[in-house]
Amino acid sequence: MTASPQALLDVTDLTIELRSGLPVVQDISLALNRGATLGLVGESGSGKTTVAMTLLGYVRPGMRVVHGQITIAGEGIDLRDEKAARRARGRLVSLVPQDPATSLNPALRIGGTIRDVLEAHTSGHANDVAVGEALDRVHLPITGEFMRRFPHQLSGGQQQRVLIACALACSPPLVVLDEPTTGLDVVTQAQILAQIDQLHSERELAMVYVSHDLAVVSQLADRIAVMYAGRIVEHGPASMVLTRPRHPYTRGLIGSSPDHVTPRQLHGIPGVAVGLGDRPTGCAFAPRCAQRVARCELELPPLEPQQDGRSVRCFEAERTPPLQFGAPLAPATPASAEPILLVRDLKAVHGTRGHTFTAAEDISFAVRRSECLALVGESGSGKSTIARVIVGLHPPAAGEVQLDGRRLAPLAKERSRDERRRCQIVFQNPYESLNPRQKVEEQVARPARLLRGFSRADARAAVTELFERVRLPTRLGEKFPSELSGGERQRVAIARALAAGPAVLICDEVTSALDVSVQAAVLDVLIELQRELELGLVFITHNLGVVATVADSVLVLTRGRICERGSVNEVLHHPSDPITQQLLAAAPRLRATAKRDALVSERA
Amino acid sequence: MRHRLRFARTRRGQFGLVIVAIVLAIALLGPFVSPHGPSQLTGAPGAPPGGGHLLGTDYLGHDVLSRVLWGGRSVISLALSATALGFALGTTIGLIAGYSRGIVDSLLMRSVDVILAFPPLLFFLIIVTSVGYSEGVLICGVAVVQAPGIARIVYSATREVSVAAYVEAAVARGETTAAILRRELLPNTLPTLIANLGLTLTYSVLLTAAVNFLGLGLQPPAANWALMISENRTILSLNPWAVVVPATLIAALTIGVNLVGDAISISLGRSETTVDARVDPAAAIMQGNLIATPQGPET
């Protein structure tokens, strides 16, 4: 696309590589008008954060700008001179960073943090009035008491607001937001997004919103640029890109995004994203692409403008089929009416003598074979504690857990080998759930040897079979976890749990650390396993879209108590509890609103 | 194995290895090429280099070169065995205390604190005066003095690792405590442990030297670099080589071991980060990890 003369931001031909010569981002050209919002979307490793940081004139140590220019409000940003670039920050462009908890200096009070920003970018002394104005803009209290608080005395949402206040303190015309809501709860996220939207429309602010989450981006962006392996692959008006994607990767991303209003079968993108060093000469997406032709692997498709006003980097863009969402598979009929896992009046408490905190109370539920029960709630709602009680990592304060009608001992070491075998857990963080110093196959074989008494040879055969089940190439067994991607690690963790031959599988936020296309693939594996092995699944998540895709029934938790339960359909479409209603209202959905369309045509 | 030897490909690791190899060669092979015996009187005391004595003579008239060539073995064997013993002791205490929590944790770590509170040399004085001196006592003494520091390091590393999900997974499948310590915790505290190996070895050398210096350890006729420094300090102005050469060798040994230790722990630590770099170069660059090996481990 070409920059219109009044463009606020103009990026041309930006290419950044590592000092060793490996390209990180290539041929990035972007333009943004005053008051417009660009969503920069991509999965991990796509280079979106590198682009975002470069917009601030910041090139990370170890990287260098090969060529390219950035102009903001007519002023060129000198990418080779950190001192010159610094003069633009705050005045022309500012950043709202990703992680509020680590972005705020824990030793500085809130007032001091904002004062520092003001004093760094404007001449002279900043008084409390100016600090108060900055806080007021994001609807934070402007009392002296609040300004004297330290970051740890604020909630995550308030911390993020302070960062937004810092970014807006000097009224720059452009703000770069780098995944500003990723670490927040859905409800807080919805509030922050609404706030950003309001500030945006009040102040004619141009924004570059960087995120991996299409649903979030679709709330705000007029235009969307999708990045893959360091290049923009599709760029155009948001409604167009979201409803009729032309690049197969964009289509794959949308097809992988779960939705809680219209449950759909997810289609993950096969394969894994190419690493930094392995980008092919042709189209980087070709190895994962269903519509590739011989030419795709030989030459790089240009980012070609289409008639409808967008640009697509694909030779075969015309052939990209329209989006199609199949309904999810009908719930499997449970093999027996008898519950396999029964939790009754469970209560769990954290802390020691004197100072206790009830994490979960009055929790009762049952899971049958081939049934998937979702536990949904915000962080701190007690869902992970319940998982830990079930597998015997945390002793319950009251109540009981039954497996096949037999009461389980409180702790894993007091349970029989068979009881431990039949109830397995997969943890949230794939980067933490595997021992970094053991080969992957050894870790998968261990439960089979320990809990099923397999010989070394039998265990090896079991590992091979399990790798096939979770769709991992067998050769990965030889590797250490650090050599695998996040999605591969999580599949190894699932294989390890299955190696025990369980009847019940507890999945504790197993996809929340993964990219959407990887999430879709992992969910697909889980659904298939649940059906084929007749597993009872307890699926813990905060993502209602995922619930709609995998679960048969749902429990909604808040502050350690069940506030609503029912079938997925009932709960997601006719929620009766105010908490559920609030959660559903806050959950972001992929949408291209009429309002956005109007804005686009007006500015076009 | 390639994984484990990766440190030898870094400049830091190679440099350290060369230094350690030279010092070890002097200590181990020295006695075979020594012109004189270690306690053979060959000239006037405190003579500067010359007259058949390449490095002059020491305070009693021994040939300094010969004593240097003979005096490395005891330095290295004492320090190595004391360090090994100290590591075994400290690691065991730290692992058990860090994993078990509760009463066992308090008991072990408070006793560690008590030993830490003692000045090490006073501690030696008590041991040597009560049980008498022997090499075994020296080794055990140094090991006991070293163990608390190692225990503390292993303890905090273990505390950190023991909340990781793979440890929880092991608990949930009912592994024995010994298996969890050995399979899950110990390998993951290794980078921290090895980073400290150099420092501990250095400290062992210095501690044995200090003990010898005070006359609580090896007795004068024995040739030992540490002892040489202390016994020849009176003739420093007459023949400085008698002090400078053994001091340089001890310094070289400690520097070399530290370089190797650092290189190993960096390469162990890096095995996690390089691949994160492949997954998310941005994150890795943020941590400054990409500068040395941007490609990640070749597969």
Side-chain angles (χ1 to χ4, degrees), chain A residues 7 374 415 446 469 492 518 526 549 581:
Chain A
R415 297 181 181 174
R446 183 69 186 169
R469 273 210 182 278
V492 171
V518 181
L526 278 173
T549 308
Q581 288 163 356

Side-chain angles (χ1 to χ4, degrees), chain A residues 25-143:
Chain A
V25 297
Q26 287 166 291
D27 309 328
I28 303 288
S29 294
L30 293 168
L32 192 63
N33 289 342
R34 249 171 227 287
T37 302
L38 171 76
L40 193 58
V41 179
E43 297 185 287
S44 31
S46 62
K48 58 187 189 302
T49 301
T50 304
V51 172
M53 297 311 273
T54 316
L55 294 182
L56 291 144
Y58 181 69
V59 183
R60 293 204 193 103
M63 289 187 180
R64 82 194 171 84
V65 176
V66 183
H67 52 74
Q69 274 143 13
I70 294 179
T71 313
I72 300 173
E75 273 187 59
I77 308 287
D78 192 337
L79 295 173
R80 284 168 188 84
D81 183 356
E82 168 67 19
K83 259 193 194 142
R86 192 173 279 195
R87 280 196 292 275
R89 290 183 206 145
R91 184 170 55 89
L92 291 177
V93 56
S94 63
L95 173 77
V96 179
Q98 176 165 13
D99 187 354
T102 56
S103 300
L104 287 167
N105 182 341
L108 274 185
R109 294 173 198 275
I110 299 310
T113 302
I114 294 177
R115 194 171 298 120
D116 277 358
V117 172
L118 287 167
E119 285 175 0
H121 299 300
T122 55
S123 52
H125 180 73
N127 56 18
D128 276 359
V129 179
V131 174
E133 271 173 28
L135 287 174
D136 193 39
R137 229 169 271 156
V138 291
H139 306 305
L140 283 171
I142 52 171
T143 58

Side-chain angles (χ1 to χ4, degrees), chain B residues 172-195:
Chain B
R173 68 172 175 258
E175 299 269 7
T176 60
T177 304
I180 292 174
L181 294 181
R182 190 177 54 80
R183 296 172 58 97
E184 316 289 339
L185 295 173
L186 180 61
N188 288 294
T189 52
L190 269 186
T192 333
L193 212 55
I194 291 173

Side-chain angles (χ1 to χ4, degrees), chain A residues 63 388 435 446 482-483, chain B residues 168 175 188 275 278 285:
Chain A
M63 289 187 180
R388 291 168 51 85
N435 185 339
R446 183 69 186 169
S482 57
E483 297 169 88
Chain B
E168 301 228 292
E175 299 269 7
N188 288 294
V275 180
R278 220 175 36 172
I285 293 154

